[in-house]
Amino acid sequence: MKIAGMNITYRHFPFRDFLDSMARLGVEDIELWAGEPHLYVYRNVLGNIRQIRKELQSRNMNIACYTPEQCVYPYNIAASDPCLRQKSIDYFIDNLYAALELGTDMMLMTSGIGDFSVPQEESWKYASDSLDQISQVAEKEGVTLTLEPLTRFESNLITDAKGIKSMIDGIRSPSLKGMIDTVAMQLAGETPEDYFSVLPEICHFHLIDGDGLSDAHLGLDDGVLRWRECLTSLQSYRYEGICTLEIMGFEYYRNPHEALMRSIRKIRELGVLSS
């Protein structure tokens, strides 16, 4: 497996600073968070894509996964409002094409959040229909959609391994696959084995520490999550994909290089990464 940095931790720094930091840390793979001020699909997207490609090429770096912002911006594929839902579907399809222009064939998706004024089953159907439409485009373009579980503080739809399996089974698209986020996993009382036992393939992995009480995405050993055991489990299942450090929080935003450096050093000490 390989480690990847994520520019969401550097959201208050220029994108170039993030890449320079990754280069100093010896990280060649990144997960590109597509959000302001680094890249937003509806602001100067062609110019920004061109600049990002140039910056990546000059450092021999690779985008392992493209992750559009979908928890803060006004896009929600499970929304009851049909206009908002269609706007959200269009947003993700536009991002899918941006991902292709950047040379990556993996894009992260979530279920969105259902309106609390309607039955959960209705919101599930909206999310499923939306993901089905996006998956059809992904199939045509050769893009893998990696479906991330959110925490119970972020969504009332997909928050665990069984939810991912249910959505994938319902849509039946070869482009839609499952992934693990360790904080969502921790809060659902799960382990990596719960994911590997019900999903045919795990194509992506978010590695962060958690406090077990909130959706805090902490640097490694800043919480109580047994992340070393998670990496051992991944090894036992011969996971060969990317492990992204999705570290978030104001203190980390102030000094992201230090936060990533500490966590990456701890992972490298385990000797689990590919050369």
Side-chain angles (χ1 to χ4, degrees):
M1 70 187 83
K2 293 184 177 181
I3 197 70
M6 191 175 186
N7 58 306
I8 196 167
T9 319
Y10 296 70
R11 62 195 304 167
H12 298 297
F13 287 83
F15 186 73
R16 186 180 294 107
D17 287 15
F18 162 65
L19 295 182
D20 288 343
S21 175
M22 293 300 98
R24 293 200 303 276
L25 294 172
V27 175
E28 297 178 349
D29 295 282
I30 69 167
E31 180 165 339
L32 178 62
W33 167 69
E36 293 284 20
H38 295 166
L39 175 67
Y40 176 51
V41 75
Y42 297 134
R43 182 181 67 82
N44 189 31
V45 65
L46 292 178
N48 287 336
I49 284 176
R50 183 178 302 163
Q51 183 62 33
I52 288 173
R53 288 175 63 176
K54 184 185 300 183
E55 297 281 359
L56 290 169
Q57 289 169 0
S58 70
R59 297 171 177 82
N60 293 315
M61 289 183 180
N62 171 65
I63 298 176
C65 182
Y66 178 100
T67 301
E69 172 56 53
Q70 48 203 290
C71 295
V72 177
Y73 291 178
Y75 302 106
N76 180 10
I77 62 170
S80 299
D81 184 312
C83 293
L84 174 56
R85 200 162 63 249
Q86 185 59 55
K87 178 182 177 183
S88 302
I89 293 169
D90 294 342
Y91 167 76
F92 286 107
I93 291 175
D94 288 341
N95 272 287
L96 186 151
Y97 285 114
L100 287 169
E101 287 298 317
L102 285 163
T104 185
D105 60 0
M106 182 180 292
M107 186 174 86
L108 185 146
M109 292 290 308
T110 68
S111 63
I113 180 171
D115 293 347
F116 297 134
S117 60
V118 302
Q120 186 185 37
E121 294 77 12
E122 185 175 334
S123 297
W124 183 277
K125 183 179 184 303
Y126 293 146
S128 178
D129 288 346
S130 299
L131 281 169
D132 183 45
Q133 293 182 53
I134 300 166
S135 294
Q136 290 179 39
V137 179
E139 282 184 48
K140 177 184 174 183
E141 300 296 341
V143 172
T144 294
L145 299 178
T146 178
L147 186 57
E148 180 187 35
L150 295 173
T151 71
R152 65 177 184 269
F153 300 105
E154 300 169 302
S155 179
N156 55 356
L157 296 176
I158 296 180
T159 59
D160 55 20
K162 290 182 179 179
I164 293 177
K165 175 175 168 47
S166 181
M167 185 63 74
I168 290 175
D169 288 349
I171 294 176
R172 297 185 179 277
S173 168
S175 69
L176 188 63
K177 300 179 181 181
M179 67 169 284
I180 298 173
D181 178 282
T182 53
V183 169
M185 179 192 74
Q186 178 191 40
L187 290 172
E190 296 175 321
T191 65
E193 287 76 10
D194 292 311
Y195 283 78
F196 283 102
S197 65
V198 300
L199 297 173
E201 181 180 353
I202 301 296
C203 68
H204 196 46
F205 186 83
H206 277 176
L207 177 64
I208 46 273
D209 208 334
D211 60 16
L213 300 171
S214 71
D215 62 350
H217 283 46
L218 306 176
L220 302 183
D221 287 338
D222 287 349
V224 298
L225 196 152
R226 295 180 176 178
W227 61 270
R228 291 177 178 83
E229 294 180 13
C230 290
L231 291 183
T232 300
S233 292
L234 261 64
Q235 268 196 310
S236 68
Y237 283 99
R238 298 183 179 180
Y239 175 75
E240 297 181 350
I242 293 289
C243 291
T244 295
L245 288 166
E246 191 192 26
I247 298 171
M248 294 187 285
F250 187 72
E251 289 304 314
Y252 300 120
Y253 296 152
R254 293 176 61 176
N255 193 348
H257 181 82
E258 179 69 23
L260 268 291
M261 181 175 65
R262 289 198 307 266
S263 291
I264 289 172
R265 182 187 299 130
K266 294 174 188 293
I267 297 170
R268 285 177 173 156
E269 287 172 353
L270 299 179
V272 298
L273 300 179
S274 304
S275 58

